[in-house]
């Protein structure tokens, strides 16, 4: 039962991550969960350095 809940949570997280990545790259970028997380981390760091 907890596996189903965990899978649902992972799926929701993946969808939100993909949505953010699409908004950054205009939907041209499809990647794995880890690659998306890395891209968002780098983009966040760059944005914070500019401020």
């Amino acid at each position: 039962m907890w596996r189903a809940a965990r899978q649902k949570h992972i799926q929701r997280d993946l969808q939100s991550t993909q949505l953010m990545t699409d908004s950054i790259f205009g939907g041209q970028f499809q990647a794995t969960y880890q690659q998306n997380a890395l891209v968002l981390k780098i983009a966040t760091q760059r944005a914070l350095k500019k401020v």
Side-chain angles (χ1 to χ4, degrees), residues 15-30 35-47 50:
Q15 286 173 348
S16 64
T17 302
Q18 192 64 50
L19 182 65
M20 285 188 285
T21 306
D22 288 349
S23 68
I24 292 169
F25 292 100
Q28 300 171 354
F29 191 80
Q30 294 289 327
Q35 288 170 325
N36 280 341
L38 180 62
V39 165
L40 288 172
K41 181 179 175 184
I42 292 169
T44 303
Q45 288 174 344
R46 287 181 182 171
K50 288 181 181 179

